Amino acid sequence: MKYFDETSFYKSESKESGYKYYNLIRGGVFTDGGFLYGVPYKNGKMHKVDDITGVKAENETNTRELDDFNDCTCGVRVRFCTDAETVALRAGLKRKWAFRKMNLYNSSGFDFYQVADGKYCHGTVTGPEEGKQFFEDIIHIKPDYPVQIYLPNYNSVHTFEIGIPDGCWFGEAPGYKVKKPVVFYGNSITQGAAASRSGNSFPNIVSRKLDCDILNYSFSGACKGERKMAQTIAGQDMAAMVIDYTRNARVMEEFRARYPAFYKIIRDAHPAIPIIFLGGFHCPPQYDEVIYQLYESEAKAGRNVFYISQNELFKKEEKFYLSMDGTHYTDMGMFRVAKSIVNILQGRIEE
């Protein structure tokens, strides 16, 4: 692992000799879309929402979180193929400290997988130590197997480069089995807190289990079901939608009005796709009642809807081990939620 200050990081002589570097993100703008997946806003910027001001107008109490997390790379993946046995990963990050409720391998980590015989196999994870923003690491991989790297869940990647040894080839990985993305909207848990590493958030697990693209519109502490957010999400061409909106809903009257309205905007734009409602975990029961009543009404009307109670996923005696603070899931908690989503969507979304 090598660390740099900002000036030395951008000097060409600081790069590993014997490697050719492919610049995929520069200044928060992705430079080659053929290798990058999961960026909701497709005009080059690493943003979830192009213009966040409309969302902030409906959520005046969480404007800082909306700004902070709009360019976080939760759900973003880099995919490529090479015949090399090592690759160099160079990254420049926005935040130099770990985010609360998680370790650095989640908040600022780059999680490596490779695909063999249709299965995703975990390789390793890398990331900077506390107080560092600019680093380079050499990663050993198996040649000729597609590589997938999950970018950090709670940091913004301003610069990202992959170095390939001289004489080796570098190209795009095969596409996903499911072409259209599964879209997630949610809170800190849906963004990834508090998995051990970035690839173990439940949306990222779903991406591997279904071999599908995903888009993750999650805003830690600021998931409020804004109309503008729903309109933004509804503009995506998607295979399915997962709504995890309860834990940031502090006012019952607001939640009762916003939840059905948020769903309706998505449903009107996508009449046929599966939409999964996630009930709350350790939330007051009246919130789940709102969600379940909407689910029952839509199911009776023949809509393609599903309901998952996150409380019922876990046996009572296990809850101490499935979350780190009674709310934010450990890896096993994330896996349980992902598995329940996969069980519903498998066979119900077009490949």
Side-chain angles (χ1 to χ4, degrees):
M1 179 78 74
K2 292 184 178 180
Y3 294 105
F4 310 92
D5 60 29
E6 186 169 1
T7 301
S8 64
F9 180 78
Y10 287 114
K11 289 182 179 178
S12 60
E13 59 264 28
S14 69
K15 297 181 178 181
E16 287 284 344
S17 61
Y19 283 78
K20 179 180 179 181
Y21 285 79
Y22 295 84
N23 177 21
L24 304 184
I25 302 170
R26 173 70 66 166
V29 175
F30 60 87
T31 58
D32 194 330
F35 299 94
L36 218 60
Y37 291 77
V39 182
Y41 181 50
K42 294 296 185 183
N43 197 25
K45 297 179 182 177
M46 296 292 292
H47 287 169
K48 299 172 187 175
V49 180
D50 174 24
D51 185 358
I52 200 71
T53 55
V55 179
K56 291 194 290 186
E58 300 177 63
N59 186 356
E60 297 177 357
T61 59
N62 299 108
T63 56
R64 180 177 177 180
E65 289 91 342
L66 290 168
D67 283 330
D68 284 348
F69 298 129
N70 192 34
D71 58 356
C72 274
T73 52
C74 60
V76 178
R77 286 139 286 129
V78 170
R79 289 167 62 89
F80 61 88
C81 284
T82 180
D83 59 351
E85 295 184 353
T86 62
V87 298
L89 182 152
R90 288 171 48 85
L93 303 175
K94 175 183 178 180
R95 183 183 295 112
K96 64 173 67 175
W97 306 104
F99 200 82
R100 63 183 181 274
K101 302 186 180 73
M102 68 200 74
N103 62 36
L104 277 165
Y105 278 158
N106 185 355
S107 64
S108 301
F110 296 78
D111 203 5
F112 277 72
Y113 285 78
Q114 290 192 262
V115 185
D117 298 324
K119 295 183 179 179
Y120 287 83
C121 305
H122 186 247
T124 189
V125 59
T126 187
E129 64 185 35
E130 292 261 43
K132 305 293 186 181
Q133 291 171 273
F134 301 94
F135 76 100
E136 180 167 9
D137 200 5
I138 302 298
I139 305 298
H140 292 267
I141 61 171
K142 292 184 177 181
D144 300 317
Y145 288 94
V147 177
Q148 175 161 289
I149 309 170
Y150 290 95
L151 272 57
N153 284 328
Y154 272 80
N155 212 327
S156 304
V157 179
H158 284 181
T159 296
F160 183 87
E161 299 177 3
I162 289 291
I164 303 295
D166 291 341
C168 293
W169 66 272
F170 177 75
E172 295 180 18
Y176 287 104
K177 184 189 300 182
V178 178
K179 307 302 180 188
K180 294 182 181 180
V182 175
V183 176
F184 294 82
Y185 174 69
N187 47 60
S188 57
I189 298 91
T190 323
Q191 187 170 327
S196 64
R197 46 190 168 83
S198 54
N200 276 357
S201 66
F202 74 79
N204 287 342
I205 296 172
V206 170
S207 78
R208 294 194 298 278
K209 294 295 184 183
L210 292 177
D211 194 24
C212 69
D213 197 4
I214 64 166
L215 299 175
N216 192 339
Y217 284 92
S218 294
F219 287 83
S220 179
C223 172
K224 295 286 189 178
E226 303 89 354
R227 180 179 180 84
K228 180 63 175 177
M229 185 69 74
Q231 291 170 339
T232 299
I233 295 172
Q236 293 288 354
D237 187 13
M238 64 184 80
M241 173 89 194
V242 179
I243 303 174
D244 186 19
Y245 164 37
T246 52
R247 277 173 268 210
N248 296 157
R250 304 286 185 249
V251 181
M252 186 61 206
E253 292 76 13
E254 180 183 274
F255 180 74
R256 196 184 300 276
R258 285 191 174 187
Y259 196 99
F262 184 93
Y263 162 77
K264 186 175 186 303
I265 291 170
I266 306 296
R267 177 53 80 201
D268 287 348
H270 302 277
I273 66 167
I275 296 181
I276 298 175
F277 303 132
L278 290 187
F281 179 64
H282 282 190
C283 285
Q286 57 264 37
Y287 288 92
D288 273 357
E289 289 171 9
V290 170
I291 299 171
Y292 195 76
Q293 286 171 8
L294 176 62
Y295 159 72
E296 279 194 315
S297 172
E298 289 296 287
K300 286 179 181 177
R303 305 280 192 267
N304 197 4
V305 293
F306 303 88
Y307 172 79
I308 297 171
S309 169
Q310 294 187 75
N311 283 320
E312 292 179 6
L313 288 178
F314 312 118
K315 295 178 182 178
K316 186 175 181 180
E317 65 273 14
E318 291 180 341
K319 290 183 180 179
F320 296 108
Y321 306 102
L322 294 166
S323 69
M324 53 84 70
D325 58 359
T327 300
H328 297 86
Y329 297 139
T330 60
D331 286 353
M332 185 52 70
M334 291 289 189
F335 177 75
R336 292 278 187 89
V337 176
K339 186 177 179 182
S340 68
I341 293 169
V342 169
N343 288 343
I344 289 172
L345 295 183
Q346 213 151 30
R348 288 190 169 95
I349 54 179
E350 293 183 12
E351 297 184 358

